Amino acid sequence: MQYSEIRALLQDIKTYLVTGGWPPSRRRRRAHLLERLDAITAQLDAGPHPAVAVAMTKLEGAPVLRIDADEPHIEETPEGVWVRGWIWVEQQALASCDSMRMTKLRNAIADLPQQTRAVFLAHCVEGSAYPAIARRLSLEVAEVQCELASALLILSQALDET
């Protein structure tokens, strides 16, 4: 059973519990809810998919990869089965990634057109309101909004580049 199905079922159970039960007009809904609960229980009782054991065997000795023995999330395709796993990421790698993103961001801010950069820094760094920025830069408030939108788009694209 997929995560979305389990989530929907839990939402239905919550509704049932909060409202104190189903009204007579929705008795069929109650029966459907019980069927869904039975299906999940049966799936959990059945244990993990056989592909989980095969995947775990393939990863034996791999220090940075892990698959839990009771992993319930699998995706079957005509060619095989995907088994969800875990990969180890060291804190140092995360810090390095953050550092690279900050460098990209600084460079992208420096490369913004002068007026766009001034609007971005005034609003996002100094916390100035649109009217104050407009007065300071002799712009209309709508122009400030457009410049800020342009800056955010440019910076977003710069950070998304690989």
Side-chain angles (χ1 to χ4, degrees), residues 2 10 12 29 40 46 57 61 75 89 103 110 118 121 133 135 140 158-160:
Q2 298 296 323
L10 291 174
D12 286 347
R29 179 93 169 147
I40 289 178
T57 302
E75 182 180 326
V89 178
T103 300
L121 293 174
I133 298 169
R135 281 191 302 277
E140 297 293 322
L159 289 174
D160 288 343

mmCIF file of all heavy atoms in Angstrom, residues 2 10 12 29 40 46 57 61 75 89 103 110 118 121 133 135 140 158-160:
data_model
loop_
_atom_site.group_PDB
_atom_site.id
_atom_site.type_symbol
_atom_site.label_atom_id
_atom_site.label_comp_id
_atom_site.label_asym_id
_atom_site.label_seq_id
_atom_site.Cartn_x
_atom_site.Cartn_y
_atom_site.Cartn_z
ATOM 1 N N GLN A 2 0.547 2.211 -0.795
ATOM 2 C CA GLN A 2 1.336 3.419 -0.939
ATOM 3 C C GLN A 2 1.095 4.363 0.229
ATOM 4 O O GLN A 2 0.062 4.330 0.893
ATOM 5 C CB GLN A 2 0.983 4.126 -2.249
ATOM 6 C CG GLN A 2 1.282 3.313 -3.479
ATOM 7 C CD GLN A 2 2.758 3.039 -3.627
ATOM 8 O OE1 GLN A 2 3.595 3.881 -3.325
ATOM 9 N NE2 GLN A 2 3.099 1.854 -4.092
ATOM 10 N N LEU A 10 -5.889 7.257 7.230
ATOM 11 C CA LEU A 10 -5.756 7.873 8.551
ATOM 12 C C LEU A 10 -6.618 9.131 8.662
ATOM 13 O O LEU A 10 -7.219 9.388 9.705
ATOM 14 C CB LEU A 10 -4.294 8.181 8.855
ATOM 15 C CG LEU A 10 -3.406 6.951 9.070
ATOM 16 C CD1 LEU A 10 -1.950 7.373 9.212
ATOM 17 C CD2 LEU A 10 -3.855 6.143 10.271
ATOM 18 N N ASP A 12 -9.449 9.584 7.110
ATOM 19 C CA ASP A 12 -10.824 9.096 7.261
ATOM 20 C C ASP A 12 -11.086 8.611 8.684
ATOM 21 O O ASP A 12 -12.153 8.860 9.249
ATOM 22 C CB ASP A 12 -11.108 7.967 6.265
ATOM 23 C CG ASP A 12 -11.277 8.485 4.848
ATOM 24 O OD1 ASP A 12 -11.424 9.709 4.670
ATOM 25 O OD2 ASP A 12 -11.272 7.654 3.913
ATOM 26 N N ARG A 29 -19.725 4.019 3.833
ATOM 27 C CA ARG A 29 -18.385 4.577 4.012
ATOM 28 C C ARG A 29 -17.673 3.852 5.165
ATOM 29 O O ARG A 29 -16.489 3.576 5.094
ATOM 30 C CB ARG A 29 -18.519 6.069 4.317
ATOM 31 C CG ARG A 29 -17.233 6.766 4.542
ATOM 32 C CD ARG A 29 -16.735 7.348 3.261
ATOM 33 N NE ARG A 29 -15.632 8.233 3.550
ATOM 34 C CZ ARG A 29 -14.625 8.390 2.737
ATOM 35 N NH1 ARG A 29 -14.614 7.795 1.590
ATOM 36 N NH2 ARG A 29 -13.645 9.174 3.051
ATOM 37 N N ILE A 40 -4.682 -3.055 4.949
ATOM 38 C CA ILE A 40 -3.396 -2.606 5.494
ATOM 39 C C ILE A 40 -2.872 -3.610 6.508
ATOM 40 O O ILE A 40 -1.696 -3.966 6.506
ATOM 41 C CB ILE A 40 -3.528 -1.215 6.143
ATOM 42 C CG1 ILE A 40 -3.714 -0.165 5.070
ATOM 43 C CG2 ILE A 40 -2.321 -0.887 6.993
ATOM 44 C CD1 ILE A 40 -3.900 1.233 5.593
ATOM 45 N N ALA A 46 1.828 -9.684 6.339
ATOM 46 C CA ALA A 46 2.494 -10.499 5.320
ATOM 47 C C ALA A 46 4.017 -10.354 5.374
ATOM 48 O O ALA A 46 4.742 -11.205 4.884
ATOM 49 C CB ALA A 46 1.993 -10.117 3.925
ATOM 50 N N THR A 57 21.001 -8.134 0.479
ATOM 51 C CA THR A 57 22.143 -8.987 0.151
ATOM 52 C C THR A 57 23.091 -8.259 -0.795
ATOM 53 O O THR A 57 24.309 -8.313 -0.637
ATOM 54 C CB THR A 57 21.658 -10.302 -0.482
ATOM 55 O OG1 THR A 57 20.785 -10.943 0.440
ATOM 56 C CG2 THR A 57 22.818 -11.215 -0.816
ATOM 57 N N GLY A 61 27.962 -5.058 3.218
ATOM 58 C CA GLY A 61 29.330 -4.542 3.242
ATOM 59 C C GLY A 61 29.457 -3.126 2.706
ATOM 60 O O GLY A 61 30.523 -2.539 2.777
ATOM 61 N N GLU A 75 8.338 -0.502 -5.162
ATOM 62 C CA GLU A 75 7.621 -0.134 -6.378
ATOM 63 C C GLU A 75 7.941 -1.177 -7.434
ATOM 64 O O GLU A 75 9.087 -1.322 -7.840
ATOM 65 C CB GLU A 75 8.049 1.258 -6.848
ATOM 66 C CG GLU A 75 7.309 1.723 -8.084
ATOM 67 C CD GLU A 75 7.762 3.101 -8.526
ATOM 68 O OE1 GLU A 75 8.098 3.934 -7.669
ATOM 69 O OE2 GLU A 75 7.784 3.318 -9.750
ATOM 70 N N VAL A 89 25.149 10.423 4.607
ATOM 71 C CA VAL A 89 25.751 11.685 4.189
ATOM 72 C C VAL A 89 26.406 12.291 5.416
ATOM 73 O O VAL A 89 25.751 12.504 6.438
ATOM 74 C CB VAL A 89 24.692 12.659 3.613
ATOM 75 C CG1 VAL A 89 25.334 13.975 3.224
ATOM 76 C CG2 VAL A 89 23.972 12.028 2.436
ATOM 77 N N THR A 103 28.143 30.668 -1.739
ATOM 78 C CA THR A 103 29.039 31.285 -2.724
ATOM 79 C C THR A 103 28.274 31.588 -4.004
ATOM 80 O O THR A 103 28.410 32.672 -4.574
ATOM 81 C CB THR A 103 30.236 30.359 -3.009
ATOM 82 O OG1 THR A 103 30.949 30.153 -1.790
ATOM 83 C CG2 THR A 103 31.150 30.942 -4.060
ATOM 84 N N ALA A 110 25.871 39.668 -6.674
ATOM 85 C CA ALA A 110 26.839 40.611 -7.243
ATOM 86 C C ALA A 110 26.593 40.827 -8.733
ATOM 87 O O ALA A 110 26.833 41.930 -9.250
ATOM 88 C CB ALA A 110 28.261 40.109 -7.017
ATOM 89 N N ALA A 118 20.029 46.768 -5.713
ATOM 90 C CA ALA A 118 19.708 47.758 -4.677
ATOM 91 C C ALA A 118 18.339 47.478 -4.066
ATOM 92 O O ALA A 118 18.171 47.543 -2.837
ATOM 93 C CB ALA A 118 19.750 49.164 -5.273
ATOM 94 N N LEU A 121 18.601 44.129 -1.906
ATOM 95 C CA LEU A 121 19.303 44.318 -0.640
ATOM 96 C C LEU A 121 18.491 45.188 0.321
ATOM 97 O O LEU A 121 18.431 44.898 1.524
ATOM 98 C CB LEU A 121 20.680 44.924 -0.886
ATOM 99 C CG LEU A 121 21.672 44.008 -1.626
ATOM 100 C CD1 LEU A 121 22.958 44.761 -1.949
ATOM 101 C CD2 LEU A 121 21.958 42.749 -0.833
ATOM 102 N N ILE A 133 11.633 52.067 -0.216
ATOM 103 C CA ILE A 133 12.611 51.776 -1.285
ATOM 104 C C ILE A 133 12.294 52.638 -2.503
ATOM 105 O O ILE A 133 13.190 53.199 -3.134
ATOM 106 C CB ILE A 133 12.586 50.272 -1.653
ATOM 107 C CG1 ILE A 133 12.990 49.422 -0.444
ATOM 108 C CG2 ILE A 133 13.502 49.992 -2.835
ATOM 109 C CD1 ILE A 133 12.738 47.929 -0.636
ATOM 110 N N ARG A 135 10.847 55.569 -2.631
ATOM 111 C CA ARG A 135 11.269 56.956 -2.386
ATOM 112 C C ARG A 135 12.784 57.095 -2.501
ATOM 113 O O ARG A 135 13.293 58.005 -3.141
ATOM 114 C CB ARG A 135 10.816 57.411 -0.995
ATOM 115 C CG ARG A 135 9.354 57.806 -0.920
ATOM 116 C CD ARG A 135 9.015 58.514 0.405
ATOM 117 N NE ARG A 135 9.312 57.698 1.586
ATOM 118 C CZ ARG A 135 8.495 56.767 2.081
ATOM 119 N NH1 ARG A 135 7.345 56.528 1.505
ATOM 120 N NH2 ARG A 135 8.844 56.084 3.162
ATOM 121 N N GLU A 140 8.538 53.991 -8.727
ATOM 122 C CA GLU A 140 7.164 53.712 -8.325
ATOM 123 C C GLU A 140 7.182 52.422 -7.505
ATOM 124 O O GLU A 140 8.067 51.576 -7.689
ATOM 125 C CB GLU A 140 6.267 53.541 -9.555
ATOM 126 C CG GLU A 140 6.147 54.778 -10.416
ATOM 127 C CD GLU A 140 5.410 55.902 -9.709
ATOM 128 O OE1 GLU A 140 4.441 55.610 -8.976
ATOM 129 O OE2 GLU A 140 5.819 57.069 -9.889
ATOM 130 N N ALA A 158 19.859 30.879 -10.454
ATOM 131 C CA ALA A 158 21.298 30.696 -10.191
ATOM 132 C C ALA A 158 21.540 29.569 -9.210
ATOM 133 O O ALA A 158 22.476 28.776 -9.361
ATOM 134 C CB ALA A 158 21.906 32.009 -9.663
ATOM 135 N N LEU A 159 20.702 29.474 -8.182
ATOM 136 C CA LEU A 159 20.872 28.409 -7.180
ATOM 137 C C LEU A 159 20.473 27.049 -7.736
ATOM 138 O O LEU A 159 20.984 26.025 -7.280
ATOM 139 C CB LEU A 159 20.066 28.719 -5.921
ATOM 140 C CG LEU A 159 20.609 29.874 -5.082
ATOM 141 C CD1 LEU A 159 19.657 30.189 -3.944
ATOM 142 C CD2 LEU A 159 21.996 29.552 -4.560
ATOM 143 N N ASP A 160 19.555 27.030 -8.703
ATOM 144 C CA ASP A 160 19.120 25.761 -9.279
ATOM 145 C C ASP A 160 20.081 25.201 -10.307
ATOM 146 O O ASP A 160 20.027 24.021 -10.632
ATOM 147 C CB ASP A 160 17.737 25.903 -9.928
ATOM 148 C CG ASP A 160 16.638 26.042 -8.890
ATOM 149 O OD1 ASP A 160 16.873 25.723 -7.709
ATOM 150 O OD2 ASP A 160 15.533 26.480 -9.263
#
